[in-house]
Amino acid sequence: MIKDSKLMILANVFLSLLFVLANYGIGNEFNSYPHDLRYIHWSPFLIQDSHAYTFVNGNLVGIGGDVLIYNFPFWIFFVAIAVNIIFFYRLQRTKETSQIQK
């Protein structure tokens, strides 16, 4: 039981750390160009950040660049939920077998 608890805590800490780092990376991209006029398209797989124009010395200058970012936080969230469901199932199964043995 203690061994399973340590594994659960370690897995949740690891997945939480991945989730925070992935969100930080996306936020860093969005905050890195504050003067650009851009369009951001979200999907479950990719985030497309299209930079159309920017201001240089008060003048509007065309850029036309695209940045594609994988939407890792979206999938890490679902992986974390699935891992926790597996842990709950295993924990419930070990409780049932320990009650039968008593």
Side-chain angles (χ1 to χ4, degrees):
M1 180 87 165
I2 299 293
K3 194 175 192 178
D4 289 337
S5 298
K6 288 180 182 179
L7 179 64
M8 287 182 216
I9 291 169
L10 184 65
N12 279 308
V13 165
F14 177 71
L15 288 171
S16 298
L17 181 65
L18 279 178
F19 184 77
V20 167
L21 288 175
N23 276 322
Y24 179 75
I26 290 172
N28 192 27
E29 169 61 31
F30 290 161
N31 292 327
S32 60
Y33 304 101
H35 301 295
D36 285 1
L37 300 174
R38 58 196 195 186
Y39 170 75
I40 300 169
H41 175 73
W42 292 77
S43 74
F45 299 106
L46 289 172
I47 301 169
Q48 181 182 4
D49 188 7
S50 300
H51 299 260
Y53 298 98
T54 189
F55 288 104
V56 177
N57 296 327
N59 297 322
L60 194 61
V61 178
I63 298 174
D66 286 334
V67 177
L68 292 175
I69 306 168
Y70 290 109
N71 197 355
F72 285 124
F74 182 80
W75 292 104
I76 291 171
F77 173 77
F78 289 113
V79 168
I81 295 296
V83 166
N84 280 312
I85 288 172
I86 291 169
F87 283 144
F88 289 141
Y89 175 74
R90 286 180 59 196
L91 187 61
Q92 182 66 28
R93 209 171 92 202
T94 58
K95 281 185 179 180
E96 289 174 358
T97 56
S98 67
Q99 289 176 355
I100 292 171
Q101 291 175 356
K102 288 184 181 181

